[in-house]
Amino acid sequence: MSELIVIGYDDTSVAKKAFKAVQELQKNHVVDLNGLAVVSVDEDGETHVDTPAKSEKVAVSATAGALWGMVLGIVILTPAVGVVGAAVGGLIGKLSQMGIDNDFRRKVDSLLKPGSAAVVIMATKVTEDKFAAAMQSFGGTLLKTSLAEEDEKALAEQLAGPE
């Protein structure tokens, strides 16, 4: 099971500091990451996604990386409502079954206003008390949902496509 955690900040510089803190938490085995990004929205409303440098090991496998990319894209970059292709629509439907529904996506969207940022974390393990203690100094608004292991596997299979 993975946890999807989004922490919204009014200040991009604070989000970048929190992002670095999560990287340290991984090094200290407080969190095992499948994905990590800081998503910022500039004053023109344009969304920017920064992920750890290639030297940082985050995705544990190609499948985990693909799953992370899809989750990040659906949660952050795809409009909550609107016209999408059948394949993306199917993936959105699958994510909704996994607990990443339009309500969660709307809450994430409400965190991302011009000039703000969010740290987006997908983790297979989080030592809650240590994570909370380390992140408390940054403040922010926390949103969290869980992804069941069976659902992650089904989504990974859907991402792989027919054999």
Side-chain angles (χ1 to χ4, degrees):
M1 177 153 83
S2 289
E3 300 294 324
L4 180 61
I5 303 166
V6 180
I7 310 171
Y9 299 95
D10 292 332
D11 185 328
T12 302
S13 65
V14 174
K16 288 180 180 181
K17 289 175 186 172
F19 174 83
K20 289 183 188 298
V22 173
Q23 289 175 306
E24 286 300 314
L25 292 173
Q26 178 178 337
K27 289 176 186 173
N28 294 325
H29 307 289
V30 172
V31 61
D32 289 335
L33 299 173
N34 276 348
L36 174 65
V38 63
V39 179
S40 58
V41 181
D42 64 25
E43 294 302 327
D44 296 326
E46 213 171 299
T47 303
H48 305 274
V49 178
D50 294 315
T51 57
K54 290 182 182 178
S55 62
E56 295 289 332
K57 217 173 172 188
V58 172
V60 293
S61 68
T63 302
L67 179 62
W68 163 244
M70 181 53 63
V71 168
L72 182 65
I74 296 296
V75 171
I76 302 294
L77 304 174
T78 304
V81 241
V83 179
V84 293
V88 174
L91 289 169
I92 291 171
K94 188 65 182 170
L95 286 170
S96 293
Q97 293 170 12
M98 295 169 61
I100 304 176
D101 58 12
N102 282 342
D103 185 50
F104 183 83
R105 291 175 51 222
R106 275 191 279 277
K107 288 177 183 176
V108 170
D109 187 54
S110 73
L111 295 176
L112 293 170
K113 299 299 177 207
S116 68
V119 176
V120 183
I121 303 158
M122 187 169 157
T124 54
K125 175 198 131 201
V126 179
T127 305
E128 297 284 341
D129 57 339
K130 291 180 180 180
F131 181 84
M135 300 305 291
Q136 184 178 15
S137 65
F138 300 105
T141 302
L142 184 129
L143 300 174
K144 181 178 169 185
T145 191
S146 296
L147 308 175
E149 189 174 331
E150 314 76 63
D151 291 332
E152 288 180 50
K153 285 181 184 175
L155 183 60
E157 288 169 9
Q158 193 167 354
L159 284 169
E163 293 184 18

